[in-house]
Amino acid sequence: MPELPEVETTCRGIRPHISGKTIAKVVIRQKQLRWPITENLPENLSGLIIENVDRRAKYLLLKTNTVNTVMIHLGMSGSLRIVNAELAPGKHDHVDFVFTDATVLRYNDTRKFGSILLTSKPINQHKLIRSLGPEPLSDGFTGRHLYDLSKNRKSLVKSFIMDSHNVVGVGNIYASESLFMAGIHPARQAGRISLKRYQNLAACIKIVLQQAIEQGGTTLRDFVNEQGNPGYFQQSLAVYGRTGNACIQCVSDIKQIKIAQRASFYCSYCQK
Ligand SMILES: [Zn+2]
């Protein structure tokens, strides 16, 4: 599943290929994604210029030269790539944004849990975005922010940092990895962690996500590859998926528990 680093990598990967270009047409072969693609999206986008490609949480935002912004979510299996208009679409290539220079931004999604919506609202007021917490890599995301929100919370710290109202983009893999780096047990109560430890955790979340984005950067050329599925990358993981293997710090066995139905990995010696 594309997580925040993949979406950020996608954002950086497609931006130089479509910014400043004029949309000639939008071809929809399958409009039934997680939600139906916005009615009249092709008519409303034709002739508009993409001024910028941005990201908020896991939404890619194609900002046009009008009030309209395209919001793309990759869902469970979505991906975007840049192809030439002459390349015939494959089975799961559901949507093409065709530009006047024959560049195509092509949306592929085998499981169809993604979404493509058009909004004329200021993006921060959109109902899918307005209640979201800060971006983890922004200056607005700090240990103090987590600490202040955590007061009296009985939820477990792993669920707490995965809650997008508190901070966006900390998916299951990155929650496990950040908690390991910070030395915090994933099942510790959120409301019982000190400010100092939250400051360390916030720094670790930034490092883990930044490293993932940098690793993804090496796959940027794949966005113009006409074969295959671009943008998802394997990264080196310290605890996630390593049940029974030796901890990289202390050689204890990595343990696995379920927290809020999600597999969680930790070292009981290194994480308290
Ligand atoms: Zn350990």
Side-chain angles (χ1 to χ4, degrees):
M1 175 158 82
E3 297 278 359
L4 185 136
E6 281 91 347
V7 180
E8 177 63 23
T9 302
T10 300
C11 182
R12 294 180 190 183
I14 64 175
R15 182 185 288 142
H17 298 283
I18 64 171
S19 292
K21 292 189 180 175
T22 303
I23 298 171
K25 61 177 177 176
V26 180
V27 179
I28 300 175
R29 298 179 198 91
Q30 167 62 266
K31 71 170 186 179
Q32 208 59 48
L33 300 178
R34 178 176 180 186
W35 300 295
I37 292 173
T38 306
E39 200 78 28
N40 302 324
L41 180 135
E43 292 83 344
N44 285 319
L45 279 181
S46 175
L48 302 195
I49 298 167
I50 300 296
E51 291 209 319
N52 194 18
V53 181
D54 212 342
R55 178 189 62 75
R56 174 72 173 104
K58 294 209 291 185
Y59 291 96
L60 284 158
L61 306 172
L62 313 188
K63 296 186 171 170
T64 73
N65 58 330
T66 69
V67 292
N68 289 310
T69 298
V70 185
M71 299 171 62
I72 303 177
H73 196 290
L74 302 176
M76 306 286 286
S77 57
S79 65
L80 287 162
R81 68 191 202 277
I82 303 289
V83 299
N84 187 279
E86 288 174 8
L87 184 78
K91 187 178 173 192
H92 302 290
D93 289 335
H94 302 313
V95 179
D96 281 357
F97 298 85
V98 184
F99 295 88
T100 51
D101 69 347
T103 297
V104 173
L105 176 67
R106 182 163 281 175
Y107 180 79
N108 178 286
D109 192 351
T110 48
R111 296 181 65 184
K112 300 193 289 245
F113 280 115
S115 63
I116 299 177
L117 303 171
L118 188 65
T119 180
S120 57
K121 276 198 164 125
I123 207 72
N124 286 331
Q125 291 170 27
H126 194 278
K127 77 173 180 187
L128 293 169
I129 286 183
R130 68 186 173 207
S131 65
L132 295 175
E135 286 290 322
L137 297 174
S138 72
D139 293 342
F141 175 63
T142 61
R144 166 65 69 176
H145 166 79
L146 286 178
Y147 178 71
D148 288 347
L149 284 177
S150 73
K151 283 178 185 155
N152 304 318
R153 295 283 187 98
K154 294 209 179 343
S155 58
L156 307 185
V157 64
K158 179 166 177 265
S159 304
F160 177 71
I161 60 172
M162 287 180 67
D163 181 342
S164 63
H165 296 98
N166 302 331
V167 56
V168 302
V170 185
N172 199 35
I173 294 171
Y174 301 108
S176 281
E177 293 294 310
S178 304
L179 288 164
F180 174 75
M181 189 185 281
I184 298 172
H185 194 293
R188 180 164 282 275
Q189 263 188 30
R192 301 189 64 180
I193 294 174
S194 68
L195 172 60
K196 198 172 168 209
R197 297 191 89 196
Y198 271 125
Q199 285 168 334
N200 186 34
L201 178 57
C204 291
I205 289 171
K206 289 174 194 273
I207 291 167
V208 165
L209 290 171
Q210 195 61 50
Q211 282 175 347
I213 291 166
E214 279 161 22
Q215 286 179 343
T218 61
T219 68
L220 280 186
R221 59 189 168 79
D222 291 339
F223 287 93
V224 290
N225 184 345
E226 298 190 346
Q227 308 293 325
N229 193 9
Y232 301 172
F233 36 91
Q234 290 292 323
Q235 61 171 136
S236 46
L237 299 170
V239 287
Y240 187 87
R242 296 195 64 243
T243 312
N245 289 304
C247 171
I248 58 170
Q249 289 180 13
C250 75
V251 307
S252 306
D253 285 356
I254 297 297
K255 296 199 164 102
Q256 180 176 347
I257 48 171
K258 272 213 165 150
I259 295 177
Q261 315 304 319
R262 307 297 300 276
S264 307
F265 304 88
Y266 67 104
C267 171
S268 58
Y269 180 79
C270 295
Q271 293 175 257
K272 303 292 180 194

